[in-house]
Amino acid sequence: MDSPLSRSSTSSEASSVKSVPGSSASSNSSVEDAGISRRNAANTLSACQCAALKELKSLCRAKNVYWNSGDREGYRIPPSNDDVTLLRYLRARGFAPQAAFKQYSATVAWRRKLALDEMYRTAEISHFEAIRRLMPQWTGRRSRNGVPIFVYSVSRTRPEDLLVTSKQDPTLSNVFLPAEYSTQFVQPLCARMHVDRAMPCAIFIIDLTGVGVRHFWNLRAHLQKASTMATSHYPESVDKIFILGAPSFFPAVWGYINKWFEPNLTSKISVLASSEAKTVLTKHIDIDDLPVSYGGTVPWEYGMSPHLDAEARDMVGSFADNWIEGPIHYVPREDGDEIVAAGAEAAGLRGTVLAKLPACLEEPGAFSSKGGVCV
């Protein structure tokens, strides 16, 4: 199928965060001079990029702009800015510190206004799940380069459900609870198993099979507002987007849709004909990590709990077979990160530790099949 948009390469893209030419010792020194956690930066920044990050951190300190503060599941979080989050905004703005700071500070203000962290931490479980079922869902698997794979079956999203959500929540703040699930749990968990990856992000398979003109038209206002806000407040969280099952009218509406996104995001989108879908997808995703519906072997369907691979199951232990609904936090700890239940149920706020992960090495060592470095 000829796509009306710029097709992204079917080969693995190199990250836009490049290594500086020269020895690894020089790169390591730049990382250390910028005060960057090697676990986050993974020694992939050039000297100029390290300098940009250092300047952005200084701007945040001078203007008292901090992403994290307060308590999370019993752990005190001092005012701080995570390197990985800062790097998202730098990448989105071409490593221009002032431009990145403008976008970053606007997002921090937006999150504070909505009390998004608190909303995620205290979300009522059934309400959270009602919203999550309308959004892209994690399959439990990762791509060849270690990023989580999400699927969004648009035909399973009823416009009337989104209309009710929009009327109850005109700011669409609740719509971003599933996005927080991805950034506060899924992406850091997958990055934990792929420590060399500089930027946690995700692959999205958007399935348009069975979507008619009326269905799309009824969803357009909601999708436009949500997409615009996501571009502003969740930059560089997408690795690739694959659109499958595109209806015949899709080329006609693409010119309308692509105005919702910045060019660097539209360049990551590929529209795949049914005849090429499996071939292209399996260049980025092992067939054993691809759902059966799309030519793989994973017995996962939209609406199911994540179906973890063997490596992830080993890491999270019994939690893999006792998956829970509702929000979940990934909590970094020096003695081993934790997966912690969040959200509210009848008995009150949850805070149970669902899994304790093994301690993670800072320096490259014994790599797992997808790059993890663990004790």
Side-chain angles (χ1 to χ4, degrees):
M1 174 179 176
D2 293 332
S3 168
L5 63 153
S6 175
R7 294 287 294 271
S8 60
S9 171
T10 58
S11 62
S12 297
E13 289 183 346
S15 170
S16 60
V17 182
K18 302 289 187 183
S19 297
V20 65
S23 70
S24 59
S26 173
S27 178
N28 290 350
S29 177
S30 298
V31 169
E32 291 168 352
D33 290 344
I36 305 167
S37 166
R38 286 188 181 165
R39 182 172 171 183
N40 284 346
N43 299 331
T44 58
L45 300 183
S46 70
C48 289
Q49 291 166 346
C50 283
L53 179 56
K54 187 175 181 179
E55 182 177 344
L56 178 55
K57 295 170 86 168
S58 296
L59 285 169
C60 290
R61 285 193 298 269
K63 300 293 185 180
N64 199 33
V65 173
Y66 293 104
W67 189 279
N68 293 319
S69 63
D71 294 302
R72 175 177 294 179
E73 310 308 336
Y75 301 113
R76 179 65 184 170
I77 302 176
S80 61
N81 292 303
D82 179 76
D83 295 337
V84 171
T85 304
L86 291 173
L87 284 167
R88 290 187 194 276
Y89 289 80
L90 281 169
R91 284 186 64 182
R93 302 274 71 88
F95 277 86
Q98 291 287 348
F101 176 76
K102 181 178 180 180
Q103 184 178 3
Y104 183 78
S105 59
T107 294
V108 169
W110 173 75
R111 295 178 68 86
R112 294 284 190 275
K113 182 178 180 180
L114 297 180
L116 196 53
D117 282 322
E118 182 70 6
M119 186 186 304
Y120 183 77
R121 187 179 72 86
T122 63
E124 198 275 323
I125 307 303
S126 61
H127 173 69
F128 179 92
E129 288 299 315
I131 298 295
R132 189 186 65 81
R133 292 188 185 101
L134 301 175
M135 301 297 161
Q137 298 178 17
W138 184 35
T139 63
R141 297 305 176 101
R142 295 169 287 144
S143 69
R144 291 182 185 272
N145 63 349
V147 305
I149 303 162
F150 285 79
V151 170
Y152 187 28
S153 179
V154 178
S155 65
R156 301 278 292 274
T157 303
R158 300 193 312 167
E160 52 268 35
D161 292 337
L162 287 175
L163 181 61
V164 169
T165 298
S166 297
K167 288 182 176 179
Q168 294 175 343
D169 176 29
T171 66
L172 292 186
S173 56
N174 286 321
V175 168
F176 290 95
L177 290 175
E180 292 296 301
Y181 186 85
S182 177
T183 58
Q184 295 201 33
F185 167 53
V186 177
Q187 290 185 27
L189 173 63
C190 291
R192 170 63 177 75
M193 293 184 284
H194 194 87
V195 180
D196 253 16
R197 183 163 186 81
M199 299 298 296
C201 52
I203 280 181
F204 293 88
I205 297 174
I206 310 297
D207 190 345
L208 296 179
T209 303
V211 176
V213 175
R214 178 174 295 182
H215 189 104
F216 171 80
W217 193 250
N218 289 337
L219 290 173
R220 78 192 187 287
H222 171 86
L223 293 175
Q224 179 178 5
K225 188 172 183 180
S227 299
T228 301
M229 293 174 70
T231 299
S232 297
H233 301 304
Y234 295 88
E236 295 299 319
S237 58
V238 171
D239 182 40
K240 294 184 182 298
I241 296 175
F242 298 106
I243 297 178
L244 279 59
S248 58
F249 67 84
F250 187 78
V253 301
W254 174 247
Y256 173 74
I257 295 173
N258 69 3
K259 295 177 183 178
W260 304 347
F261 309 108
E262 292 188 348
N264 66 333
L265 180 56
T266 58
S267 68
K268 299 177 181 179
I269 302 174
S270 296
V271 181
L272 305 180
S274 57
S275 59
E276 65 177 340
K278 182 177 178 180
T279 299
V280 174
L281 288 174
T282 51
K283 289 182 178 180
H284 303 276
I285 303 168
D286 288 335
I287 197 166
D288 290 336
D289 290 317
L290 190 65
V292 171
S293 303
Y294 306 112
T297 64
V298 181
W300 181 92
E301 295 182 1
Y302 191 78
M304 294 175 62
S305 297
H307 191 284
L308 302 186
D309 59 49
E311 186 179 350
R313 291 178 65 85
D314 287 344
M315 179 164 286
V316 305
S318 61
F319 173 51
D321 294 317
N322 296 280
W323 205 264
I324 65 168
E325 295 186 332
I328 300 173
H329 277 137
Y330 185 94
V331 181
R333 302 277 287 167
E334 289 186 1
D335 61 344
D337 301 346
E338 294 177 346
I339 298 173
V340 181
E345 51 192 5
L349 293 179
R350 304 189 302 185
T352 306
V353 176
L354 304 169
K356 181 78 172 181
L357 279 58
C360 189
L361 296 175
E362 291 282 337
E363 301 295 338
F367 284 77
S368 69
S369 60
K370 286 190 170 72
V373 189
C374 304
V375 175

